[in-house]
Amino acid sequence: IGGDNSVCYGESANLVATPSSSEMVTYTWLNAENNEVLGTQSSISTANLYDNSQFSVNAVKTSGVSPSPDNVFVGDIVTSNNIVVRPSQWMEAEIQNLVAVGVVYSKNNDSVRVVGLDEYASIQWGASRFTTGQYANSYEIARTRMNGKAMTDALVAYNNSQSTPTEANYVAALKAREKGENWYLPAEGELYTLANNLSNVNYAISVAGGTEVDADSYYWSVTEKSADRAWASLGTGTQDDSKSTSHIVRPVTAFRYSDLISFRNSATC
């Protein structure tokens, strides 16, 4: 690690990591006191420092290669720096200080869908004024909807346009978005797909230390039946419910294959 070894009281420090190899490397900068992630580039500029502060960086060699669709599987673990790891490789990945963020629950020729490791209990879908205006009045229609990201974006944009935005704890889509700008409340079709792959997904979630999806509980989808009702799935089946009812929120996201990196067993450099 190079850069500033010391700075004046109240100034920021510039730090840079130079790996011992020119191979593809991913970086995770940490506050050594609490392991807070500060950045994922080869260099960082810290916040203003007022006490003795120590920082560390995990520089991990990767394959440097994006996986093909044939080399990503439902149940693969995805890390905070977009590395795809098989559950059988996770012990080695943890040694390299990789941090899991989700598990692949669906894939096609262009991208993979990933479910987060954690969930939020007892969240209402939201008041009736929160609506996309796109309704699925039957379950047969609802389970074809795969547009969770677009619908979440619309609800977030509506909330941001209000003079007094609603807190995320009262709107399921807003709560899902708290995890990050690319995370969203799944559409009913996405929950349907997740339910069909739950065994492999839950195994990988447990390996990565997350909270398994509860097959006996209901999870909100972003898909609406009407201005006052929305679809909830898993549980003992699927039901439409009043938007004022509280169910679980499980954020999901998606990655193109070109944004992912295949894991390679190797020591930290």
Side-chain angles (χ1 to χ4, degrees):
I1 298 177
D4 298 324
N5 292 319
S6 62
V7 295
C8 293
Y9 188 80
E11 292 185 348
S12 65
N14 295 305
L15 305 173
V16 61
T18 304
S20 59
S21 167
S22 60
E23 296 176 88
M24 179 68 72
V25 173
T26 64
Y27 303 89
T28 306
W29 288 90
L30 302 170
N31 182 329
E33 294 181 357
N34 57 16
N35 285 329
E36 176 189 5
V37 176
L38 302 175
T40 57
Q41 303 299 315
S42 61
S43 62
I44 61 167
S45 180
T46 70
N48 293 341
L49 305 176
Y50 296 95
D51 299 300
N52 292 331
S53 300
Q54 294 183 331
F55 304 92
S56 64
V57 60
N58 296 320
V60 179
K61 294 179 183 177
T62 73
S63 67
V65 177
S66 294
S68 69
D70 291 338
N71 291 321
V72 177
F73 303 90
V74 170
D76 280 353
I77 298 167
V78 179
T79 73
S80 58
N81 41 14
N82 296 9
I83 298 175
V84 182
V85 184
R86 300 306 312 279
S88 60
Q89 299 174 311
W90 186 245
M91 183 177 296
E92 176 65 23
E94 283 192 305
I95 292 173
Q96 298 188 32
N97 295 300
L98 296 181
V99 177
V101 295
V103 169
V104 176
Y105 73 90
S106 175
K107 55 178 261 190
N108 57 33
N109 289 332
D110 300 314
S111 61
V112 298
R113 284 185 165 90
V114 172
V115 60
L117 297 184
D118 301 304
E119 60 191 34
Y120 308 101
S122 300
I123 306 293
Q124 297 178 10
W125 197 96
S128 59
R129 63 188 177 85
F130 280 90
T131 181
T132 64
Q134 298 189 29
Y135 304 135
N137 59 13
S138 72
Y139 177 61
E140 289 70 26
I141 296 173
R143 74 177 186 181
T144 67
R145 300 289 173 85
M146 303 292 286
N147 57 350
K149 174 68 161 54
M151 296 298 95
T152 298
D153 288 347
L155 293 168
V156 170
Y158 168 77
N159 192 52
N160 290 341
S161 72
Q162 302 304 295
S163 57
T164 306
T166 301
E167 293 182 16
N169 287 337
Y170 298 99
V171 181
L174 304 184
K175 194 64 180 177
R177 180 52 54 84
E178 273 194 338
K179 189 170 176 65
E181 63 179 351
N182 292 318
W183 291 84
Y184 59 91
L185 188 65
E188 183 59 39
E190 292 171 292
L191 281 181
Y192 177 76
T193 304
L194 172 60
N196 286 337
N197 293 314
L198 207 52
S199 178
N200 287 340
V201 170
N202 270 343
Y203 171 73
I205 288 175
S206 67
V207 169
T211 302
E212 294 184 30
V213 178
D214 184 0
D216 294 323
S217 295
Y218 281 101
Y219 290 75
W220 274 128
S221 82
V222 76
T223 305
E224 299 170 81
K225 185 176 184 181
S226 67
D228 299 310
R229 302 184 72 81
W231 293 96
S233 204
L234 296 172
T236 56
T238 299
Q239 65 178 27
D240 63 281
D241 210 343
S242 167
K243 290 182 177 181
S244 62
T245 304
S246 294
H247 290 306
I248 301 171
V249 167
R250 188 81 176 212
V252 300
T253 190
F255 295 91
R256 293 188 177 276
Y257 292 104
S258 59
D259 294 327
L260 298 171
I261 303 171
S262 297
F263 178 69
R264 188 190 73 179
N265 289 12
S266 61
T268 301
C269 60

